[in-house]
Amino acid sequence: MSTTTEDFLADDAAACVPVADESTGEVRVLSERCSTCIFRPGNPFRTTMPSRIRDMVADAVAEGGHVTCHSTLPGSAPADVAPAICRGFADTYGHRSLALRLGAAVGTLREVPPPA
């Protein structure tokens, strides 16, 4: 599955999809960066849309939130893939994310593989 500009710029509401399992409280975070992670050097979105990425990350950090991996968003991900926090964001800004800090504190973080 390839990622397009339209996928990346999907409605902001799609980026706010739940990354926690309602029944268990587990917070899903990718176990590694997806192949098209915006935090990977050389990612084309870093050069074609640097202000969009910068603003998205700054907003997430300012709000104590997170960035959901674009390859796990409904409509972009395979049907059996649930939304998860971007590994690149977690590695870089995880200490600023309430979901990641709380999940780590209470033992409810669940690493999931990136979609194939």
Side-chain angles (χ1 to χ4, degrees):
M1 172 174 291
S2 65
T3 302
T4 65
T5 301
E6 289 78 24
D7 293 334
F8 184 75
L9 293 175
D11 180 11
D12 285 337
C16 296
V17 296
V19 294
D21 184 298
E22 287 185 26
S23 62
T24 65
E26 290 180 321
V27 176
R28 294 178 297 271
V29 60
L30 290 187
S31 58
E32 60 186 280
R33 294 177 187 193
C34 73
S35 63
T36 56
C37 184
I38 60 172
F39 288 89
R40 282 189 185 276
N43 178 294
F45 293 124
R46 290 174 62 112
T47 56
T48 60
M49 295 186 285
S51 63
R52 169 71 172 123
I53 293 172
R54 188 173 41 253
D55 292 347
M56 179 176 57
V57 170
D59 289 347
V61 169
E63 296 171 5
H66 58 271
V67 171
T68 303
C69 175
H70 63 277
S71 64
T72 68
L73 290 172
S76 295
D80 62 338
V81 173
I85 296 174
C86 168
R87 184 80 228 182
F89 181 87
D91 290 344
T92 309
Y93 300 102
H95 64 286
R96 306 280 304 270
S97 168
L98 179 59
L100 289 168
R101 290 191 333 261
L102 185 59
V106 298
T108 58
L109 282 184
R110 181 170 60 110
E111 290 191 346
V112 296

